[in-house]
């Protein structure tokens, strides 16, 4: 049983990679396949060994290779992003949650300082509101990154 990518032929039928138990069949006069169940469309890539799903809701297009028995997802090279701990990949979701917890702990430690500064300066409240909004934006962005 081969586990390396096999050439994909347009004149053959393949099972749908989305596991709907559908069948991929060539769309006439194109280099694409359509599923007879889920109606998804997959385009044969120029390498002849992979297909890419069209019109998905995913950040990265889904690509698959055929190994003669089943489809295998090709994982995209995801960009690294700079975080407090250095560069990490979006798949390292646990790091984002640890950073979120760290931000909450930091806010709890700074709350006594806030009370003293708020009593001393009315402009401080505006700065604090902007800082909290920024932290919420960062945590929300990290959470959204983790969902992809």
């Amino acid at each position: 049983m081969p586990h390396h990518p096999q050439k994909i032929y347009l004149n053959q039928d393949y099972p749908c990679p989305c596991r709907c138990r559908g069948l991929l069949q060539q769309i006439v006069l194109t280099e694409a396949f359509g599923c007879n169940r889920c109606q998804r469309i997959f385009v044969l890539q120029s390498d002849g060994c992979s297909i890419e799903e069209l019109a998905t809701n995913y950040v990265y297009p889904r690509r698959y290779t055929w190994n003669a028995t089943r489809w295998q997802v090709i994982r995209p090279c995801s960009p690294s992003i700079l975080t407090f701990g250095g560069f990490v990949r979006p798949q390292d979701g646990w790091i984002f949650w640890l950073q979120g917890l760290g931000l909450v702990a930091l806010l709890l430690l700074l709350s006594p300082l806030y009370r003293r500064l708020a009593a001393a300066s009315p402009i401080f409240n505006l700065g604090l509101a902007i800082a909290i909004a920024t932290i919420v934006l960062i945590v929300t962005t990290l959470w959204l990154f983790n969902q992809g």
Side-chain angles (χ1 to χ4, degrees):
M1 174 164 56
H3 291 286
H4 56 280
Q6 301 289 310
K7 183 158 177 62
I8 300 169
Y9 297 99
L10 289 168
N11 59 353
Q12 283 186 315
D13 295 340
Y14 298 93
C16 184
C18 72
R19 302 175 198 256
C20 68
R21 297 188 182 183
L23 194 61
L24 291 184
Q25 299 171 326
Q26 180 187 10
I27 299 174
V28 180
L29 301 176
T30 67
E31 290 192 351
F33 292 95
C35 178
N36 64 353
R37 277 238 169 132
C38 68
Q39 307 303 315
R40 293 184 186 179
I41 297 174
F42 300 87
V43 176
L44 182 63
Q45 297 299 296
S46 59
D47 62 6
C49 295
S50 63
I51 59 173
E52 183 175 303
E53 185 175 353
L54 290 183
T56 64
N57 295 332
Y58 302 112
V59 176
Y60 300 104
R62 286 233 166 152
R63 295 182 79 185
Y64 302 90
T65 58
W66 179 249
N67 71 4
T69 56
R70 66 183 184 91
W71 293 104
Q72 293 179 320
V73 177
I74 298 174
R75 302 278 179 219
C77 294
S78 52
S80 297
I81 57 173
L82 182 62
T83 62
F84 301 121
F87 285 100
V88 295
R89 295 169 296 147
Q91 293 96 335
D92 300 335
W94 61 272
I95 291 175
F96 297 133
W97 291 111
L98 286 177
Q99 289 176 351
L101 288 173
L103 288 173
V104 169
L106 182 64
L107 285 175
L108 290 174
L109 289 173
L110 293 177
S111 64
L113 177 63
Y114 162 72
R115 285 190 208 110
R116 281 187 263 159
L117 289 174
S121 170
I123 296 176
F124 178 75
N125 285 333
L126 176 63
L128 182 69
I130 292 171
I132 290 174
T134 303
I135 290 171
V136 168
L137 180 66
I138 290 169
V139 170
T140 304
T141 304
L142 294 175
W143 178 76
L144 288 173
F145 240 121
N146 192 30
Q147 297 302 306

